[in-house]
C-alpha cells in the first residue's frame, strides 16, 4: 500500500505531533500578558533523570531539572 | 492437570474464534454478551473454574445515541492542567480545525478533528466565550457530546498584541534565513501561530 495523504510540513521535516504541539503551546505562552505569563511558565518546568543502559548496567544519568534548589535552613 | 487444561483450552479456543472472527462487525458493535462457544469449551475442560473475564466486560456500555437530535450540545473542554468546561450544555461551538473553522451543532456527525492554532468560540444563547487554542483535538460523538482537548487555551484578553507583532517579525525573518528542514519547520510553526494570534486579536 503506497502512502496516501499529504503529510503536514512538520511531519515531513521529521518532527512528531507532540513536539509540534508543545512548540505551539510554548509560543502562545510567551505572548501572554503578565501575570498570566509567569503562571504559565510554571507549566513548562520539567524534572527528569535519563540514563542509558549498557551491558545490563545503567550509565551516568543525565538530570534535567527546572525545580528550584531546596535549601536547608 | 491444569497444564493439560491450558493446552486443551487453546485448541478449543482456536477452533471457536476462527468461526466467530469472520462474522464480526465493527468492534464497537460487538455485544457485551460472552461468546457462548468459548464458554462451553471452557466448561468441558475446567468445569469448576469461572471462564476468564475479558476487558470489554469491565467497560461501561457505550452511551446510546438518542433517536431524536438533542437540543443542546454537551461540551467537555479540557487542558492538561485544568478542566475549562465540564459537561456544559451549549447551543454551538466553533472550533478551529485544520480544515477550517468548523461549527458544531447538536446532532453533528461523529468526527475527530485535529485543531490548528486559532479561536474556539462557545455560543450559549446570546453569550459567546472565545478562547485562543494553541493546538489539540476535538472528538464529536454521536450522542451530541463534544470532547475538546488542547494544550493551551487562553481568553483573548490575555494575549499581548505587541509581543505577537514582535514574534511574527522574528519568525518571518527566521523563516527566510533557515537552512535545515527542521529549522524551516520550526520557523514556519512560529509564523503560523503568531499570524493566527494576530488575526484573532484584530479580527
Amino acid at each position: 500500500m503506497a502512502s496516501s495523504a499529504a503529510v503536514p510540513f512538520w511531519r515531513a521535516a521529521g518532527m512528531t505531533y507532540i513536539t509540534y504541539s508543545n512548540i505551539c503551546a510554548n509560543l502562545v505562552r510567551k505572548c501572554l500578558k503578565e501575570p498570566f505569563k509567569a503562571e504559565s511558565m510554571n507549566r513548562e518546568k520539567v524534572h527528569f533523570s535519563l540514563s542509558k543502559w549498557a551491558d545490563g548496567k545503567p550509565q551516568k544519568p543525565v538530570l534535567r531539572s527546572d525545580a528550584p534548589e531546596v535549601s536547608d535552613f | 492437570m491444569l497444564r493439560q487444561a491450558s493446552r486443551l483450552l487453546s485448541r478449543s479456543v482456536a477452533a471457536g474464534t476462527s468461526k466467530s472472527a469472520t462474522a464480526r462487525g465493527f468492534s464497537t458493535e460487538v455485544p457485551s454478551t460472552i461468546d457462548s462457544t468459548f464458554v462451553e469449551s471452557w466448561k468441558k475442560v475446567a468445569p469448576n473454574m469461572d471462564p476468564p473475564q475479558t476487558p470489554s466486560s469491565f467497560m461501561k456500555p457505550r452511551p446510546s445515541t438518542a433517536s431524536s437530535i438533542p437540543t443542546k450540545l454537551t461540551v467537555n473542554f479540557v487542558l492538561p492542567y485544568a478542566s475549562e468546561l465540564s459537561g456544559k450544555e451549549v447551543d454551538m461551538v466553533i472550533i478551529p480545525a485544520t480544515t477550517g473553522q468548523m461549527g458544531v451543532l447538536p446532532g453533528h456527525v461523529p468526527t475527530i478533528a485535529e485543531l490548528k492554532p486559532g479561536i474556539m468560540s462557545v455560543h450559549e444563547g446570546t453569550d459567546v466565550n472565545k478562547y485562543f487554542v494553541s493546538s489539540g483535538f476535538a472528538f464529536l460523538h454521536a450522542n451530541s457530546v463534544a470532547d475538546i482537548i488542547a494544550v493551551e487555551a487562553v481568553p483573548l484578553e490575555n494575549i499581548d498584541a505587541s509581543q505577537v507583532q514582535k514574534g511574527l517579525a522574528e519568525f518571518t525573518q527566521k523563516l527566510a534565513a533557515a537552512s535545515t528542514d527542521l529549522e524551516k519547520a520550526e520557523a514556519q510553526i512560529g509564523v503560523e501561530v503568531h499570524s493566527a494570534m494576530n488575526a484573532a486579536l484584530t479580527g
Side-chain angles (χ1 to χ4, degrees):
Chain A
M1 236 195 315
S3 65
S4 47
V7 289
F9 64 90
W10 39 268
R11 174 84 58 186
M15 204 186 281
T16 62
Y17 179 80
I18 295 189
T19 318
Y20 164 71
S21 188
N22 283 338
I23 293 180
C24 288
N26 188 15
L27 294 172
V28 170
R29 283 184 201 126
K30 285 218 213 57
C31 291
L32 295 178
K33 295 179 185 159
E34 296 291 346
F36 306 106
K37 194 168 181 183
E39 286 168 9
S40 66
M41 282 317 185
N42 263 340
R43 291 183 213 126
E44 302 202 348
K45 295 209 171 127
V46 291
H47 177 99
F48 63 83
S49 162
L50 182 75
S51 43
K52 291 202 201 253
W53 286 65
D55 296 330
K57 288 199 208 24
Q59 309 300 304
K60 182 156 193 337
V62 170
L63 180 69
R64 155 92 193 268
S65 173
D66 296 327
E69 294 295 327
V70 179
S71 64
D72 298 305
F73 288 162
Chain B
M1 183 188 75
L2 287 176
R3 263 181 295 186
Q4 299 299 326
S6 62
R7 188 172 54 82
L8 294 169
L9 178 63
S10 58
R11 230 185 18 203
S12 52
V13 165
T17 50
S18 60
K19 273 181 272 173
S20 52
T22 48
R24 189 159 296 202
F26 289 116
S27 63
T28 52
E29 289 161 7
V30 171
S32 56
T33 55
I34 306 152
D35 184 359
S36 53
T37 326
F38 171 71
V39 171
E40 280 161 26
S41 321
W42 178 276
K43 289 220 184 305
K44 277 190 216 136
V45 174
N48 296 327
M49 282 167 67
D50 283 332
Q53 301 261 39
T54 53
S56 44
S57 65
F58 291 101
M59 280 172 58
K60 286 193 289 215
R62 174 181 278 244
S64 55
T65 311
S67 46
S68 66
I69 298 178
T71 48
K72 293 280 204 183
L73 183 68
T74 313
V75 175
N76 298 315
F77 181 29
V78 292
L79 306 170
Y81 52 87
S83 169
E84 227 9 85
L85 300 172
S86 172
K88 183 151 194 260
E89 307 235 324
V90 298
D91 297 323
M92 172 172 81
V93 294
I94 302 186
I95 55 176
T98 44
T99 49
Q101 296 285 116
M102 186 191 285
V104 182
L105 293 162
H108 196 281
V109 60
T111 309
I112 300 181
E114 184 191 337
L115 305 180
K116 65 178 183 216
I119 301 181
M120 188 188 97
S121 46
V122 180
H123 297 248
E124 167 67 15
T126 46
D127 299 327
V128 179
N129 271 335
K130 288 195 188 173
Y131 304 88
F132 185 83
V133 162
S134 69
S135 62
F137 285 92
F139 298 87
L140 311 173
H141 300 285
N143 55 355
S144 292
V145 170
D147 295 321
I148 304 173
I149 57 173
V151 180
E152 268 297 339
V154 295
L156 297 179
E157 306 85 57
N158 297 4
I159 304 181
D160 192 351
S162 57
Q163 302 244 17
V164 174
Q165 299 288 3
K166 252 199 318 188
L168 185 55
E170 180 191 333
F171 279 99
T172 322
Q173 198 212 0
K174 273 195 197 163
L175 184 57
S179 43
T180 66
D181 263 348
L182 194 56
E183 275 176 32
K184 278 198 207 120
E186 283 178 6
Q188 177 107 16
I189 297 173
V191 167
E192 268 184 21
V193 175
H194 285 98
S195 336
M197 279 197 277
N198 214 5
L201 292 173
T202 54

